[in-house]
Amino acid sequence: FLPIGDEHCRKLERNAEKVREKFNKVLGYFGEDANLSSVDFFSTLNKFVKVSLDMLFILYLLRWALM
């Protein structure tokens, strides 16, 4: 059991490091601080997407009303 468990733990650690590296690249792409937590980043992104969709819907309604 121990050798198999050790290998699984090492694989999980490697995968976790890859995720951290990719998340830091995402933060860099959006110009965010590298110390920003994933919770803060994704909740801000979620708010942005929701507001953007609301604005698109309002613009659609205005366009339809002006026809």
Side-chain angles (χ1 to χ4, degrees):
F1 170 77
L2 191 55
I4 294 172
D6 281 343
E7 180 55 35
H8 285 296
C9 285
R10 282 193 295 276
K11 186 175 180 180
L12 286 172
E13 288 172 357
R14 287 190 304 268
N15 288 340
E17 184 57 34
K18 287 179 186 178
V19 168
R20 278 190 287 276
E21 289 170 4
K22 289 181 181 189
F23 179 66
N24 283 334
K25 287 181 182 180
V26 169
L27 290 177
Y29 177 81
F30 284 101
E32 297 291 345
D33 180 16
N35 296 320
L36 187 66
S37 74
S38 60
V39 171
D40 290 339
F41 174 76
F42 286 112
S43 39
T44 301
L45 185 61
N46 185 46
K47 289 175 192 172
F48 174 79
V49 169
K50 284 182 178 180
V51 168
S52 298
L53 290 174
D54 289 346
M55 289 295 103
L56 283 173
F57 182 67
I58 289 170
L59 289 172
Y60 172 79
L61 291 177
L62 286 172
R63 183 175 178 217
W64 183 79
L66 295 173
M67 293 178 114

